[in-house]
Amino acid sequence: MPVRMKQFCVAIVVSVLAGTVNVHADDKATAAAVSNEDGKYFDKDGTPTFNIKEDGTVDWYTYSGYRRFNSECNVCHGADGAGSSFAPALANSLKTMSYADFLSTVAEGRKNLSAGKESVMPAFGDNKNVYCYLDDIYVYLRARAVGDLPRGRPAKKDDKPAAAKEQETSCMGG
Ligand code: HEC
């Protein structure tokens, strides 16, 4: 085995032992919003997150993610991320899936053809209705997974921030 390869393997073993690889757990405390840039919320690590006020009002991005998810992903993953017989319940997956893994899985897709199974997650990397709203879908599913967001259309939402309008115009138009 080449030396660099060996070093790489050692690094992986060390990180697994140290608990830094493949051990991602999300919960309400980790997902708590600590900052807000023009209506978009971030947790203490700078990862996009949801914000739900006491009266149930959700931030714009969570609401937008609800709409996008339930038009692009629900056919396979079930309404509100509740799962189906052939695709996992993302409202559970996001309890243990990191933001980076979420983004790459949705962009690149995934196939599991082992043992006669044919489980295919399509790649959405060139679908603007998905990639222009990836963070929206992520924060929505995160809210479903760890934020006690109930199923169905959120009754109350923040107004659409100017930044969301600008980002949408440049992403969808470009
Ligand atoms: C045509 C059906 C289909 C559609 C549409 C679809 N998915 Fe999937 N997705 C799957 C299947 C099947 C898997 C499981 C793949 C496997 O076995 O590795 C999966 C897996 C995933 C995973 C990994 C879950 C885990 O527990 O590891 C994520 C995240 C995901 N999909 C997100 C999305 C999002 C977001 C959308 C909408 C933009 C979407 N999917 C649309 C079929 C679909």
Side-chain angles (χ1 to χ4, degrees):
M1 196 191 282
V3 172
R4 287 188 56 182
M5 191 72 173
K6 263 191 200 146
Q7 282 170 345
F8 181 66
C9 293
V10 168
I12 289 190
V13 170
V14 169
S15 356
V16 168
L17 292 176
T20 51
V21 163
N22 286 335
V23 198
H24 179 87
D26 201 5
D27 59 26
K28 218 173 182 174
T30 311
V34 299
S35 66
N36 165 4
E37 281 168 31
D38 197 7
K40 183 164 181 171
Y41 291 83
F42 298 89
D43 67 18
K44 60 179 173 2
D45 300 322
T47 304
T49 195
F50 54 87
N51 188 54
I52 306 175
K53 299 196 180 91
E54 258 170 39
D55 71 353
T57 304
V58 302
D59 67 283
W60 167 261
Y61 292 92
T62 297
Y63 177 76
S64 166
Y66 158 81
R67 288 182 48 216
R68 298 288 159 185
F69 180 87
N70 283 298
S71 77
E72 304 292 336
C73 321
N74 57 338
V75 282
C76 293
H77 289 284
D80 309 319
S84 76
S85 53
F86 57 92
L90 297 181
N92 280 334
S93 301
L94 265 73
K95 292 183 171 125
T96 51
M97 189 172 214
S98 70
Y99 175 54
D101 285 348
F102 174 83
L103 296 183
S104 61
T105 304
V106 181
E108 293 156 27
R110 205 165 80 186
K111 280 194 182 75
N112 181 355
L113 307 175
S114 60
K117 266 180 71 175
E118 196 173 311
S119 182
V120 178
M121 163 69 194
F124 284 94
D126 57 5
N127 180 336
K128 287 187 180 181
N129 289 317
V130 173
Y131 77 67
C132 291
Y133 304 96
L134 266 183
D135 278 356
D136 310 33
I137 296 173
Y138 175 75
V139 297
Y140 165 67
L141 289 171
R142 197 174 188 191
R144 290 277 300 125
V146 303
D148 300 332
L149 182 69
R151 294 191 61 161
R153 178 181 292 264
K156 286 178 265 184
K157 60 177 190 303
D158 288 343
D159 290 339
K160 187 171 185 173
K165 291 180 195 158
E166 281 159 27
Q167 192 271 342
E168 184 168 49
T169 309
S170 71
C171 186
M172 293 298 282

